[in-house]
Every structure is written in C-alpha cells, then in structure tokens.
Amino acid sequence: MILAPLRGVTIRCFREVFADIIRETGFTEAVTPFIPAMAGSDPLKDRELRDPGSGIRDRGSGVRVTPQFIGKDPVALRECLEKVKAAGFETADLNAGCPYPMVRNKGRGSGLLRTPDVLRRMLEVGCEVMGAGKFSLKVRLGVDRSDELLGLMPIINEFPLRYLTVHARTARQMYEGKCDVERLREIEKLAKVPVVRNGDIPMPEVSGGRGQVSGVGCQASGIADGSRIMIGRGFVRWLGTREDCKELLERYIAASQVELFGDASVLGRMKELISYWKELPQWKRRWNVIKICRSIDELKSAC
C-alpha cells in the first residue's frame, strides 16, 4: 500500500502527525505531493532535503518517502533528482497524471501523455540518475480518451521502472465518473513492470503483514489479495470516520501552529483536510460552520 500524493494534504507535517495510523493501516511508502522541476527555478533547498523539521523528509515515520516531481524539462529534472539522491533518497517518481487544465495545458502532469518524445526523455533521465528499479511513473489512462495510455506502453516498457501507477480515469474526468477498470486490466497485461492501481480504491482490511491488501471492498472492485494499490482520498476520508478524529485533528493543528505563521495559514491547511470529510454524516453540519471560521478557537469549537 502506498499513500498517494494529495496537494496540500499528505504533506510532511500530515505524514508525521498521522505516522502511527499510516503504519498500522498497512502503508509502507508515501509519495510526496509534486515538486516542480522547471528550468530556472530551484524548488529544493539543502535544508528542505536534509532537515527533518522542514521540507519533504519525515522524522522517523518508518515509511519510505518517495519525492515526486512534475515538469517537462529533462535538464531541470536531472538537477532535482541528483539533489534528492545526494540527500539520501533512494527512490523518486514522475507525475504524468495531474489532471488540472492549468498544468496539463503547459505540457506538465497529464500533458506529458500528449508529448511522447518528452515523456521518453524524462524517463531516460529518471532511470539514469536514480538507477534501474528506483524511478517510478504516475499516469492517467489518457487526457481525452481512456485508450491513450495503451499507445504509450511501448515507450514506458523501454524503461526499468520501479512501478507504474495508473489512476484509472482520463484527465478530462478529473475525479468524476467511474474508473475504467477494464482498460486498467489491459494496461496490466501489457506492462513489463508492476502496476499500482489508483483511483476510487476502497480502504482495505490489512492482513498477512504490512501492505498485504484484502477485504470484501477490494474484491468487489476487482482488486486481488496482495495487489499493489495507492490510496489517497479514500484514506483521508476514512480518517474523518475515526472515533479519535477530533483528538488527531487537534494534534495536527498544534503541529501546524509550530510550523506555520498565523491562524490564517493553519486554518487554510485544516480546511483543506476537513473538506474531504464534508460529505460524511458526522461532518456535514460541522463543515457549514468550519468553512467560515476565522480563528483556530472557532475551528476547535466547530469540531
């Protein structure tokens, strides 16, 4: 089980506050929300890489942290990967699946699926710098059609990737509509590397040791026991159903107050998280108050 990258949510502070639950649930790895790899920018500072109190490195969470990068410049990607490798990160991931129009229209994220030559160069750099079996790729089934990834599999199969994560929707779908499980199965048959399933994955039961997936919900979704899965939204929503949810939220607020400056920043982070719970019965009414809270005290009272 791999914790999916959710922008603004599954950040370092979140992974540390919820570290025990992440491990106990069965996650063995967390992919960071994407880091820009663009020419002329320097998103990775030495302190972010080496200091567990900031940036992307966790404080002894016991879960592998894999930095994910987004971009279309192989030179910029190389610079970023060399930095994370020198800092001791053994694995890295390329985002070729972000569905947001402002990203894909610039040729990044799922936009890479429209530029096979650029995708190939990015994969060449990733596998060269990180080494065989150390670089992974996260994609959608396509931008407009669910058969687009099928046409790119000969390119993807050229590289010794660690795994290929497939969110079984198109970029146009964003997070709406059903996942195309049949198309995903076709990809699994063609892929020469392990395929990690992503997109509407139910929270599974965990048995047979860490990371072993089983349970009725998974079987109903066509996920065999022991499959590799990546869960993000499902896990975050599940946190909102826990009996100790309020206590966990207070811990997250306290940790965020240490890291951020001012109520506004902390409130923004908490509202981003709680927005994943707003459809849960126990949070529907609370959300109407939470979304207009202007102070941490108001937020705590509303929860």
Side-chain angles (χ1 to χ4, degrees):
M1 285 175 60
I2 303 168
L3 181 62
L6 294 180
R7 192 76 170 163
V9 179
T10 57
I11 55 177
R12 180 198 56 79
C13 188
F14 173 94
R15 298 193 303 267
E16 289 182 353
V17 169
F18 297 99
D20 290 345
I21 296 171
I22 289 170
R23 287 195 305 270
E24 291 165 5
T25 303
F27 290 99
T28 56
E29 181 176 355
V31 177
T32 71
F34 66 70
I35 302 162
M38 295 186 289
S41 67
D42 185 17
L44 292 171
K45 310 296 182 185
D46 288 342
R47 183 168 176 263
E48 291 178 327
L49 291 170
R50 301 183 186 282
D51 179 7
S54 63
I56 58 178
R57 187 182 296 283
D58 296 2
R59 291 184 183 92
S61 66
V63 175
R64 176 195 291 272
V65 175
T66 296
Q68 183 188 81
F69 294 92
I70 191 168
K72 59 180 180 180
D73 185 331
V75 174
L77 179 63
R78 180 182 295 276
E79 292 176 357
C80 288
L81 293 178
E82 287 175 346
K83 280 191 173 184
V84 296
K85 189 174 183 179
F89 289 90
E90 297 179 352
T91 55
D93 186 80
L94 176 64
N95 183 322
C98 180
Y100 291 97
M102 68 285 288
V103 174
R104 72 168 187 258
N105 289 341
K106 294 179 180 178
R108 306 183 185 107
S110 59
L112 283 174
L113 302 179
R114 289 173 164 169
T115 54
D117 290 342
V118 177
L119 177 63
R120 176 184 275 114
R121 292 198 298 273
M122 297 290 277
L123 294 178
E124 285 175 351
V125 167
C127 292
E128 178 185 335
V129 176
M130 299 306 296
K134 300 292 185 179
F135 191 65
S136 52
L137 176 66
K138 189 173 190 294
V139 298
R140 290 266 174 152
L141 290 175
V143 176
D144 300 301
R145 305 187 321 274
S146 65
D147 62 350
E148 292 174 47
L149 182 59
L150 286 172
L152 294 171
M153 288 309 296
I155 292 175
I156 294 171
N157 280 335
E158 292 175 16
F159 299 95
L161 297 174
R162 184 167 172 239
Y163 54 72
L164 171 67
T165 302
V166 182
H167 184 125
R169 288 186 176 91
T170 65
R172 293 285 183 191
Q173 284 182 274
M174 296 291 287
Y175 299 95
E176 303 298 326
K178 293 184 178 180
C179 288
D180 191 336
V181 177
E182 291 305 315
R183 190 71 75 187
L184 178 58
R185 290 191 179 120
E186 292 181 53
I187 298 297
E188 289 173 330
K189 291 177 181 178
L190 286 174
K192 293 183 179 180
V193 298
V195 173
V196 177
R197 290 191 173 199
N198 178 231
D200 291 353
I201 304 294
M203 276 299 293
E205 301 166 14
V206 179
S207 64
R210 292 173 62 188
Q212 294 299 307
V213 178
S214 65
V216 175
C218 285
Q219 291 166 5
S221 299
I223 302 170
D225 287 0
S227 294
R228 297 170 184 251
I229 60 174
M230 178 179 283
I231 304 179
R233 291 177 300 150
F235 172 70
V236 172
R237 279 196 295 263
W238 172 77
L239 288 174
T241 69
R242 290 176 59 98
E243 293 182 0
D244 60 350
C245 182
K246 185 174 180 179
E247 176 188 340
L248 291 169
L249 189 62
E250 289 180 351
R251 283 172 49 195
Y252 193 30
I253 290 172
S256 296
Q257 286 176 310
V258 172
E259 181 179 278
L260 302 174
F261 179 77
D263 278 11
S265 298
V266 178
L267 279 170
R269 178 179 287 181
M270 295 308 115
K271 290 179 183 180
E272 183 75 24
L273 172 64
I274 298 170
S275 68
Y276 284 82
W277 305 344
K278 63 185 179 183
E279 298 302 324
L280 298 174
Q282 61 270 49
W283 286 96
K284 277 188 175 182
R285 288 187 178 179
R286 296 182 197 177
W287 173 247
N288 290 329
V289 178
I290 289 169
K291 66 184 179 183
I292 59 173
C293 286
R294 296 184 179 180
S295 71
I296 297 300
D297 288 339
E298 286 182 6
L299 177 65
K300 288 182 178 179
S301 297
C303 292

